[in-house]
Amino acid sequence: MKKSISAFLAALALASTLNAPAQAEDTKTMATNAAWFPVKALVVGSGMVIGIPVAITRRSSNRCLEYTRNFADNIGGKEHIPPMVFASLMGIPFGLISGTAEGVYYGGKNAIVNGSSEKPFQLATFSLESGELE
């Protein structure tokens, strides 16, 4: 029973591809994409090598400050020095851990998404664009 269903589904898939027209690119577009492939691969690789450490540094520093301020608000307020000092004992490690994870994710994402775009060598590829990292 299972063999006959799988054979029927395979035949149906084959028949549906035979009737569809081929979706081929024109020669110029294909040649352009083939010529740009090594460049885009190099840009994505260099974007990861440079962009991930930059994103880790940026995200970690933001998260360390955020966690330290939140912890300080819980124990006396971020306006005073002693609560900030004690809150930094917990805020800095938590900020480094979460900032590192976010930096690896966003640095890799920026390298892949922006490195394979129309303008591959841009600041966003290397996570250097001002503003929030995404």
Side-chain angles (χ1 to χ4, degrees), residues 22-59:
Q23 301 292 327
E25 298 182 46
D26 62 332
T27 308
K28 183 179 178 184
T29 306
M30 206 164 68
T32 303
N33 288 338
W36 273 99
F37 179 74
V39 173
K40 288 185 179 184
L42 181 68
V43 170
V44 169
S46 62
M48 285 189 176
V49 168
I50 296 170
I52 289 177
V54 168
I56 288 172
T57 304
R58 291 180 69 187
R59 294 301 275 200

Side-chain angles (χ1 to χ4, degrees), residues 58 110 114 119-130:
R58 291 180 69 187
N110 288 339
N114 297 316
K119 297 179 182 177
F121 289 102
Q122 56 184 333
L123 292 177
T125 303
F126 302 104
S127 300
L128 292 172
E129 194 170 71
S130 62

Side-chain angles (χ1 to χ4, degrees), residues 38 68 97 104 123 131:
T68 300
I97 291 170
V104 169
L123 292 177

Side-chain angles (χ1 to χ4, degrees), residues 64-92:
C64 286
L65 291 172
E66 179 185 334
Y67 282 128
T68 300
R69 289 179 183 148
N70 288 341
F71 290 148
D73 279 340
N74 291 335
I75 60 173
K78 61 184 174 190
E79 300 84 24
H80 307 290
I81 293 175
M84 286 293 284
V85 170
F86 287 118
S88 69
L89 296 175
M90 294 292 287
I92 291 174

